[in-house]
Amino acid sequence: MTDTATTIVKRLRAAGCVFAEDEAALLVAEAESPDELDAMVDRRVSGLPLEHILGWAQFCGLRIAVEPGVFVPRHRTEFLAQQTIELATAALATAALVGRTTSGEAPVVVDLCCGAGAIGAAVIAQVPGADVFAADIDPAAVHSARLNIPNGQVYEGDLFEALPAHLAGRVAVLVANTPYVPTEAIALMPPEARLHEPRFALDGGFDGLDIQRRVAEGASAWLRPGGHVLVEVSDEQAPSSAAVFESFGLPARIVSSEELYATVVIATRPGIR
């Protein structure tokens, strides 16, 4: 390790950066000059998220563009993406069996509350036959998502209101990475999230499930028979989240990853297609 890198690691550690060595290596690799490197380290030490400094986040093997002020995709959310990809792959295989992929009926995947569009981008990369749409209420997030989802099907608006009407009843997989931090727990989050990401991308209401209730209420109108809706939750919230979807007629199951410390609820609209 060079003297410069060693000095950066010490500064980052003093600022509370847990992965100081990894962060230092990324900053050194991205900086185009010593002055730029100094400025980048200063911004990180001041508490700015690393991803906002680099301009990208690593997610499912992709570099996802993340502009300042946009919610940063979390490593644990790769589990939500993996579950989405598995269901989209299965939907694509089923469509191929009945000839729908050759007749303009590729399975529709919607990345709702898409943020920077990380999940939608991962689906496009790994399930190229899927027809991917994304939406977010935050104009800044939509701008980032349009950099990451090349098909142009990224929309701005409040949940389902943002989606094209022709998708109603046609969605095979709906993934909604809703905010799920309980309001009172926001104050306990790391400063880089509290201070540099929009609160509405974090705050899920009293129990963290307010936005999920809205998703559950509206999902059936957009899902095709047998279609799935997926959300990320904490392990403690999962039974309550599953109950929310079941209260709207969507049988739900809970899946978890110990490796990623991630929990996902998958609900399904009854029926077969």
Side-chain angles (χ1 to χ4, degrees):
M1 184 177 291
T2 66
D3 290 343
T4 297
T6 301
T7 300
I8 292 172
V9 168
K10 290 179 179 178
R11 290 191 63 195
L12 295 177
R13 280 179 179 161
C17 298
V18 177
F19 303 104
E21 290 85 356
D22 293 339
E23 294 193 10
L26 287 169
L27 292 169
V28 169
E30 290 293 311
E32 296 183 358
S33 69
D35 287 345
E36 183 180 19
L37 178 59
D38 287 344
M40 293 170 75
V41 173
D42 286 344
R43 294 168 70 197
R44 182 63 180 129
V45 168
S46 73
L48 198 69
L50 176 68
E51 294 80 4
H52 289 167
I53 298 168
L54 298 175
W56 55 270
Q58 192 80 19
F59 188 86
C60 289
L62 303 173
R63 278 195 177 193
I64 300 298
V66 182
E67 297 177 310
V70 175
F71 179 82
V72 175
R74 295 346 190 214
H75 181 50
R76 65 175 172 272
T77 303
E78 291 184 356
F79 182 64
L80 178 61
Q82 290 164 6
Q83 299 301 308
T84 302
I85 288 164
E86 288 179 11
L87 292 173
T89 300
L92 184 64
T94 300
L97 284 174
V98 297
R100 288 191 180 126
T101 55
T102 59
S103 60
E105 293 189 37
V108 173
V109 177
V110 171
D111 182 2
L112 203 62
C113 302
C114 70
I119 297 175
V123 173
I124 289 172
Q126 298 194 41
V127 196
D131 197 7
V132 177
F133 296 78
D136 200 283
I137 196 172
D138 180 17
V142 168
H143 189 271
S144 282
R146 286 174 176 159
L147 299 175
N148 298 310
I149 297 179
N151 61 16
Q153 297 180 152
V154 182
Y155 301 89
E156 180 184 333
D158 186 14
L159 296 180
F160 300 107
E161 294 176 7
L163 299 178
H166 69 84
L167 296 182
R170 294 182 51 221
V171 179
V173 185
L174 169 66
V175 55
N177 192 20
T178 65
Y180 60 89
V181 180
T183 300
E184 290 188 354
I186 296 291
L188 304 178
M189 295 187 71
E192 61 186 46
R194 270 190 297 111
L195 302 178
H196 298 285
E197 294 179 322
R199 187 180 177 99
F200 56 75
L202 306 172
D203 192 341
F206 174 75
D207 62 354
L209 302 180
D210 280 0
I211 308 301
Q212 289 189 16
R213 290 187 180 90
R214 294 180 58 205
V215 171
E217 182 178 13
S220 289
W222 294 87
L223 292 173
R224 72 187 191 185
H228 308 282
V229 54
L230 302 86
V231 295
E232 181 179 276
V233 290
S234 70
D235 187 55
E236 294 77 12
Q237 292 169 315
S240 296
S241 176
V244 167
F245 284 94
E246 291 181 344
S247 73
F248 287 101
L250 298 167
R253 58 189 174 95
I254 299 167
V255 293
S256 300
S257 167
E258 292 185 6
E259 178 185 358
L260 294 175
Y261 301 100
T263 302
V264 168
V265 171
I266 303 174
T268 303
R269 180 184 169 188
I272 300 175
R273 181 176 174 184

